[in-house]
Amino acid sequence: MINAKYIFVTGGVTSSLGKGIISSSLALLLKSRGFRVTNQKLDPYINVDPGTLNPYEHGECFVTQDGAETDLDLGHYERFTNVRTSQANNVTTGRIYSSVIEKERKGEYLGSTVQVIPHITDEIKNRIKILGNTGNYDFVITEIGGVVGDIESLPFVEAVRQLKREFGRNAIVIHLTFVPYLAAAGELKTKPTQNSVKNMLSIGVQPDIIVCRCEKHLTKSVRDKISLFCNVDSASVIESIDAPTIYEVPLKMMDEGLDTQVLKLMDVNSAPEPDLSNWKKFLYQHNNPVNEITVGLVGKYVELHDAYKSISESFIHAGAVTQTKVNIKWIHSESLEENDDAVKEKLDGLDGILVAPGFGSRGILGKLKACQFARENNIPFLGICLGMQCAVIEFARNVLGFKGANSVEMQASTPYPVIDIMEEQKKITNMGHTMRLGNYPCHLTEGSKIFEAYGKADIEERHRHRYEFNNKYRQDFISSGMIPTGINLQNDLVEVVEIPSHPFYVGVQFHPEYASTVESPSPIFTAFVKAAAHL
Ligand code: GLN
């Protein structure tokens, strides 16, 4: 195949129907037939990137290898397909407008009136084609955030209309809608789907496939009705029934023939059957655990589990490879700040403790207490980013006796003069950010837990932080038994610390959770789960 084919995924009726999971599932099915696939997300909000969005509102910010701060759907794409994404895979309205305005300021529009159509829509189309034009992909699956009919998503749907005209059968639209079951009437209702497709038609887009999210199976008559009223073949009406885990969705989509119908509509006549044997093995191990553990996830955004999406998914991947059911006990770090009884009550009996990443000083004291409890009670511990920084500061305060150990960010939580155990490091950031973002290499010490986990000395993991371990104190830590076991050799930065005398006490400055996928679970999560399950 020379030209890339474009598949657009839009949503109707309501948000949260799982466009990201459907897009990821389709990508997996096409990939497992041997095609080269990438997923893209277009977000209608005006923020230039999701980096500054409040995790309470938007869930986690996912970081790509090239250091882009992106929407959490890119995490689903990577976890399902094991295909790495980049800045080009996530585009917001804010980014589109800022580049159009920049071009206008440079005079690139030669005095013409700059308008939504064609200038904004052209910019959107370019961003979509960038991926296809690399020549690296047979299929580009572009998901449009939000719900069709929203004011913000109009320019995106207009761009899709134009691309459909331009590409003919090399572009299709999959529209995801909701088919509610009315218990009182004992019926599935198709009217919201009909209305949502009418909405699409009013802006000139006829969906080619309609995926119906539902709680009860679609009957033949419901399928026929949708096919008739929405002007699609009955093979283009795909049921997406609630699944016990998102990882079942690709199999359900295969049973419903989503990928087959996509290929048929796009004139791809010969394609191997999808090989999902590894995926099925993963699901079997996930569904048939032989061990069970409970880990405490100590963080400050625990009310919204999506804020730690990649972490909870990493536990699912690591749990499946080790056939371990990992229960997560969500613990608000501030709830550990009341008194020591609260700490004992919340943390006693856990098989492992993970102290989560985060920003700002709120809840830090509770995180320090969790580090201390895990350290003193020999409970397997994994600290990620801010969690590693807390482990280091707790050790400095309570073992080295540096009472004022701190980072500028955490200052509020000590009455003592500050000792900057973590220091702000500006020199080595990439892409002009004030943060270290994206992949950086790390050299692991042979014989350490982290080396054992990865099975090699040189790794790369993703970062998202401002503060770094202050090398002035490195020797004090080593002398007292907290050892740097992972170093960024280019800049001599401590990336991993461990306490060798503890059964498993590991802090990582990077975010291993972003790289964890079904096909390639995070080695350090797997090692942590094994330690917690005594495997
Ligand atoms: N706030 C810390 C820093 O900027 C940690 C960030 C994080 O956990 N991602 O260094």
Side-chain angles (χ1 to χ4, degrees):
M1 218 186 290
I2 300 165
N3 293 320
K5 294 182 184 292
Y6 294 86
I7 301 169
F8 299 100
V9 180
T10 57
V13 183
T14 168
S15 57
S16 306
L17 292 179
K19 284 196 298 287
I21 302 300
I22 296 295
S23 305
S24 306
S25 299
L26 176 60
L28 172 69
L29 292 177
L30 293 172
K31 188 190 171 207
S32 60
R33 285 173 179 270
F35 294 109
R36 301 164 308 156
V37 186
T38 187
N39 286 88
Q40 183 183 42
K41 174 90 191 274
L42 304 183
D43 276 310
Y45 46 75
I46 295 171
N47 307 63
V48 172
D49 66 45
T52 50
L53 289 174
N54 183 349
Y56 280 123
E57 248 180 66
H58 262 267
E60 155 191 290
C61 167
F62 185 78
V63 179
T64 56
Q65 287 183 335
D66 63 343
E69 296 178 285
T70 71
D71 186 86
L72 56 66
D73 271 324
L74 273 75
H76 292 308
Y77 306 157
E78 291 202 9
R79 288 188 283 273
F80 274 56
T81 61
N82 205 40
V83 175
R84 299 312 181 185
T85 56
S86 69
Q87 179 69 70
N89 295 72
N90 190 201
V91 180
T92 66
T93 291
R95 195 168 285 271
I96 299 281
Y97 270 81
S98 69
S99 62
V100 169
I101 291 169
E102 203 177 302
K103 284 183 193 163
E104 189 275 331
R105 293 288 85 191
K106 283 195 202 142
E108 288 185 22
Y109 297 113
L110 304 172
S112 62
T113 311
V114 181
Q115 293 177 300
V116 172
I117 304 172
H119 301 99
I120 294 296
T121 46
D122 278 353
E123 186 68 30
I124 295 172
K125 288 197 292 181
N126 289 341
R127 300 284 177 144
I128 294 169
K129 289 182 195 169
I130 280 175
L131 289 168
N133 290 343
T134 59
N136 295 335
Y137 307 109
D138 303 314
F139 289 95
V140 178
I141 302 177
T142 298
E143 175 189 345
I144 318 272
V147 175
V148 170
D150 290 350
I151 291 175
E152 299 95 355
S153 59
L154 268 175
F156 292 100
V157 184
E158 168 59 16
V160 169
R161 186 190 68 77
Q162 294 179 21
L163 287 173
K164 273 197 89 168
R165 235 174 85 79
E166 185 177 332
F167 289 132
R169 287 175 82 93
N170 281 336
I172 60 167
V173 171
I174 298 176
H175 189 57
L176 176 62
T177 72
F178 181 47
V179 179
Y181 176 75
L182 278 195
E187 269 181 344
L188 286 161
K189 291 300 192 186
T190 65
K191 194 61 79 188
T193 298
Q194 294 177 39
N195 284 335
S196 161
V197 170
K198 285 218 179 82
N199 218 332
M200 296 275 285
L201 286 170
S202 72
I203 33 185
V205 178
Q206 162 71 55
D208 300 280
I209 292 177
I210 297 177
V211 177
C212 305
R213 180 71 190 269
C214 49
E215 288 161 21
K216 294 220 185 269
H217 287 293
L218 301 184
T219 57
K220 166 119 186 9
S221 71
V222 167
R223 285 180 193 259
D224 289 346
K225 206 166 172 183
I226 293 172
S227 159
L228 181 68
F229 284 102
C230 302
N231 203 22
V232 296
D233 295 344
S234 57
S236 279
V237 180
I238 305 288
E239 170 189 288
S240 170
I241 199 156
D242 292 355
T245 146
I246 53 170
Y247 294 105
E248 301 252 359
V249 177
L251 298 176
K252 289 193 182 291
M253 289 302 108
M254 187 169 71
D255 290 346
E256 281 288 304
L258 175 63
D259 54 328
T260 317
Q261 187 64 1
V262 163
L263 295 175
K264 186 176 156 217
L265 292 174
M266 302 189 98
D267 286 337
V268 182
N269 299 319
S270 61
E273 284 303 304
D275 175 6
L276 287 180
S277 44
N278 287 340
W279 192 269
K280 284 182 184 157
K281 181 173 174 219
F282 156 79
L283 263 183
Y284 176 83
Q285 301 206 154
H286 172 68
N287 290 333
N288 296 281
V290 291
N291 317 291
E292 182 167 358
I293 56 169
T294 300
V295 295
L297 194 159
V298 182
K300 66 172 176 173
Y301 312 112
V302 289
E303 298 88 343
L304 182 71
H305 296 179
D306 268 3
Y308 300 108
K309 194 73 193 160
S310 293
I311 292 178
S312 56
E313 296 302 313
S314 297
F315 276 124
I316 291 179
H317 309 151
V321 266
T322 55
Q323 272 190 280
T324 304
K325 181 171 196 291
V326 182
N327 304 306
I328 296 180
K329 179 173 175 190
W330 301 88
I331 299 164
H332 203 296
S333 45
E334 280 173 307
S335 76
L336 302 176
E337 292 178 355
E338 290 147 25
N339 52 52
D340 287 345
D341 288 345
V343 176
K344 202 164 158 35
E345 187 221 316
K346 297 246 156 58
L347 304 182
D348 215 12
L350 289 171
D351 300 300
I353 294 175
L354 183 145
V355 176
F359 288 85
S361 62
R362 192 168 64 87
I364 291 289
L365 212 52
K367 289 189 169 179
L368 295 178
K369 291 205 167 168
C371 296
Q372 183 176 12
F373 192 85
R375 183 174 58 76
E376 290 178 347
N377 294 286
N378 287 329
I379 300 172
F381 169 88
L382 181 61
I384 299 181
C385 205
L386 182 63
M388 172 266 200
Q389 300 178 357
C390 286
V392 165
I393 285 166
E394 187 279 315
F395 193 86
R397 287 187 184 184
N398 299 324
V399 179
L400 304 183
F402 296 172
K403 294 263 177 268
N406 230 314
S407 81
V408 174
E409 192 174 23
M410 302 174 191
Q411 253 185 55
S413 54
T414 176
Y416 302 97
V418 168
I419 301 173
D420 53 344
I421 294 292
M422 303 301 304
E423 55 172 356
E424 202 168 350
Q425 173 62 276
K426 289 209 173 103
K427 294 190 293 284
I428 39 129
T429 52
N430 59 7
M431 292 169 71
H433 279 86
T434 57
M435 271 201 269
R436 192 145 70 103
L437 280 165
N439 264 25
Y440 282 87
C442 174
H443 184 77
L444 308 178
T445 312
E446 226 165 295
S448 62
K449 294 252 167 32
I450 190 103
F451 180 92
E452 220 175 277
Y454 284 80
K456 57 181 179 187
D458 290 292
I459 63 164
E460 285 206 357
E461 288 280 12
R462 301 180 208 182
H463 291 248
R464 184 181 187 230
H465 56 99
R466 278 192 188 87
Y467 294 88
E468 305 286 351
F469 182 94
N470 188 340
N471 279 329
K472 208 158 67 183
Y473 304 103
R474 201 191 275 195
Q475 205 47 52
D476 296 297
F477 279 84
I478 295 173
S479 313
S480 296
M482 181 177 264
I483 316 291
T485 54
I487 305 288
N488 173 313
L489 295 175
Q490 291 163 348
N491 299 294
D492 196 27
L493 297 171
V494 172
E495 308 281 37
V496 186
V497 294
E498 291 183 29
I499 300 178
S501 61
H502 185 285
F504 189 98
Y505 198 93
V506 179
V508 291
Q509 183 60 80
F510 47 75
H511 288 264
E513 71 275 21
Y514 292 137
S516 187
T517 69
V518 166
E519 196 175 313
S520 170
S522 163
I524 193 64
F525 271 85
T526 305
F528 177 50
V529 166
K530 279 188 183 161
H534 303 286
L535 298 176

